[in-house]
């Protein structure tokens, strides 16, 4: 059986995913052959995808948890630009904040060489503002850290990230694929299928929210980013398949068992508030949720499509 982990966006609420992973990876000993993520989920995905075996996966999770718990506040992730919104307009900047602290964290804790040699297939989702298309970065992406940073670049809040020698201007993958389930399913479809009679592939989706072309980058300012982002958000699905399933309820193909975990109640607080107390509280909620769901799942036979909601 092959197993995939799908990590949606959520800003600071990405710590909820780390709590859920604590149960799945450490307490249950699960290994994941595929990990897909966008936004905050991209950060968690890239960190975990450095592992080469189950022991290293547990160690990478512990390291990731220590990074989350080491945050002293939002200033460790992003900083406000000079004069705020006024400075953004006057200086023709593309965002209210800059993400230099997050880039420093990614540079210290994500080693592209280790990701490139890992057996875990990684997919990081982002949107190219120049084309409006959803893209993915894999294990051997030439600027993996920048791709992860781009996946977190919420338009107007954080600046777009040039990729592909400036041919792409990348922003938050959540604009097109809030939960990158399709990315994980694509990888499973591309790789060797399990032999007949083997257990079905298993996909775990961790969503910290209750269910329910163009000029050169140097010319882009806040107004262009705003208008282009609105265009991408409101445009119809692209006919060539670049628009991805935004809903984790999308039915998987036959032979795939899907588990969707999300909080019992909406996690209270702004997604961009990295207050240490909230980070820890959301982590504990994720851990508790995963324990409840996984224990309940052990007690029943599961259909191929299953939404796991805590009792």
């Amino acid at each position: 059986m092959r197993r995939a982990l799908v990590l949606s966006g959520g800003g600071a609420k990405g710590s909820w995913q780390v709590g859920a992973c604590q149960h799945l990876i450490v307490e249950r000993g699960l290994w994941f052959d595929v990990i897909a993520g966008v936004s905050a989920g991209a950060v968690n995905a890239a960190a975990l995808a450095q592992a080469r075996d189950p022991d290293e996966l547990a160690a990478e999770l512990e390291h990731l948890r220590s990074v989350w718990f080491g945050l002293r506040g939002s200033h460790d992730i992003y900083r406000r630009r000079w004069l705020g919104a006024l400075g953004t307009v006057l200086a023709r900047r593309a965002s209210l904040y800059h993400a230099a602290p997050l880039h420093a964290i990614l540079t210290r804790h994500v080693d592209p060489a280790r990701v490139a040699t890992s057996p875990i297939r990684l997919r990081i989702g982002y949107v190219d503002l120049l084309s409006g298309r959803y893209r993915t970065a894999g294990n051997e992406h030439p600027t993996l850290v920048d791709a992860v940073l781009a996946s977190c670049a919420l338009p107007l809040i954080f600046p777009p990230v040039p990729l592909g020698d400036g041919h792409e201007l990348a922003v938050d993958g959540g604009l097109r694929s809030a939960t990158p389930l399709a990315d994980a399913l694509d990888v499973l479809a591309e790789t060797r299928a399990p032999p007949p009679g083997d257990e079905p592939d298993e996909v775990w989706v961790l969503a910290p929210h209750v269910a329910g072309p163009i000029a050169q980058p140097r010319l882009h300012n806040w107004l262009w980013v705003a208008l282009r982002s609105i265009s991408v958000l409101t445009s119809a699905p692209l006919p060539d398949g670049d628009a991805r399933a935004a809903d984790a309820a999308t039915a998987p193909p036959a032979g795939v068992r899907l588990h969707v975990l999300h909080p019992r109640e909406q996690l209270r607080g702004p997604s961009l508030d990295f207050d240490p107390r909230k980070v820890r509280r959301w982590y504990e909620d994720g851990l508790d949720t995963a324990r409840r769901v996984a224990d309940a799942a052990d007690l029943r036979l599961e259909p191929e499509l299953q939404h796991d909601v805590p009792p």
Side-chain angles (χ1 to χ4, degrees):
M1 175 183 69
R2 301 172 302 175
R3 189 178 289 113
L5 180 65
V6 177
L7 303 173
S8 69
K13 296 171 185 177
S15 63
W16 185 93
Q17 296 173 342
V18 180
C21 284
Q22 179 69 19
H23 176 71
L24 298 178
I25 293 173
V26 175
E27 298 180 357
R28 292 179 69 87
L30 299 187
W31 166 261
F32 292 98
D33 304 282
V34 179
I35 302 180
V38 295
S39 197
V43 176
N44 293 335
L48 295 175
Q50 297 177 100
R52 292 170 294 183
D53 56 50
D55 288 339
E56 283 196 5
L57 184 59
E60 290 299 335
L61 177 60
E62 177 59 30
H63 187 125
L64 179 61
R65 184 175 70 164
S66 71
V67 173
W68 275 98
F69 284 0
L71 296 177
R72 299 162 297 174
S74 300
H75 63 279
D76 280 355
I77 300 296
Y78 59 88
R79 301 287 175 87
R80 191 174 183 86
R81 293 193 184 277
W82 179 70
L83 291 182
L86 178 62
T88 298
V89 174
L90 295 178
R92 298 177 61 84
R93 299 288 187 179
S95 65
L96 293 172
Y97 302 89
H98 68 82
L102 175 58
H103 186 265
I105 289 176
L106 293 172
T107 301
R108 288 198 304 270
H109 300 289
V110 175
D111 183 351
R114 292 185 60 204
V115 175
T117 58
S118 170
I120 298 173
R121 295 296 85 196
L122 174 67
R123 290 295 182 272
I124 299 299
Y126 62 90
V127 171
D128 173 24
L129 279 182
L130 300 180
S131 65
R133 296 172 185 254
Y134 181 83
R135 305 292 194 190
T136 59
N139 296 65
E140 298 181 356
H141 192 277
T143 55
L144 180 62
V145 168
D146 287 342
V148 175
L149 183 68
S151 188
C152 301
L154 189 64
L156 296 184
I157 305 299
F158 305 119
V161 179
L163 297 177
D165 295 326
H167 297 296
E168 296 179 324
L169 197 62
V171 295
D172 194 336
L175 288 179
R176 285 289 180 142
S177 183
T179 301
L181 172 60
D183 296 341
L185 295 177
D186 285 349
V187 177
L188 291 175
E190 292 168 1
T191 55
R192 180 181 59 84
D198 196 8
E199 294 185 58
D201 290 332
E202 192 172 78
V203 178
W204 290 83
V205 178
L206 305 185
H209 298 287
V210 173
I214 313 205
Q216 294 301 313
R218 61 184 176 85
L219 299 179
H220 301 322
N221 58 25
W222 68 274
L223 181 59
W224 183 91
V225 172
L227 295 176
R228 185 60 185 155
S229 299
I230 292 172
S231 175
V232 170
L233 280 168
T234 59
S235 62
L238 298 174
D240 59 4
D242 280 328
R244 313 297 289 175
D247 186 357
T250 301
V256 174
R257 181 176 297 160
L258 178 65
H259 305 270
V260 182
L261 275 65
H262 52 75
R264 288 167 290 173
E265 298 179 354
Q266 190 68 45
L267 301 178
R268 296 185 178 181
S271 295
L272 293 181
D273 183 1
F274 289 81
D275 179 271
R277 294 168 298 179
K278 292 179 180 178
V279 165
R280 285 181 176 267
R281 184 163 66 247
W282 292 333
Y283 168 90
E284 294 295 339
D285 189 283
L287 176 58
D288 180 66
T289 297
R291 284 172 173 169
R292 289 171 179 264
V293 168
D295 289 346
D298 286 341
L299 299 179
R300 63 180 183 271
L301 293 176
E302 301 164 88
E304 288 183 350
L305 174 61
Q306 170 179 300
H307 283 267
D308 294 316
V309 182

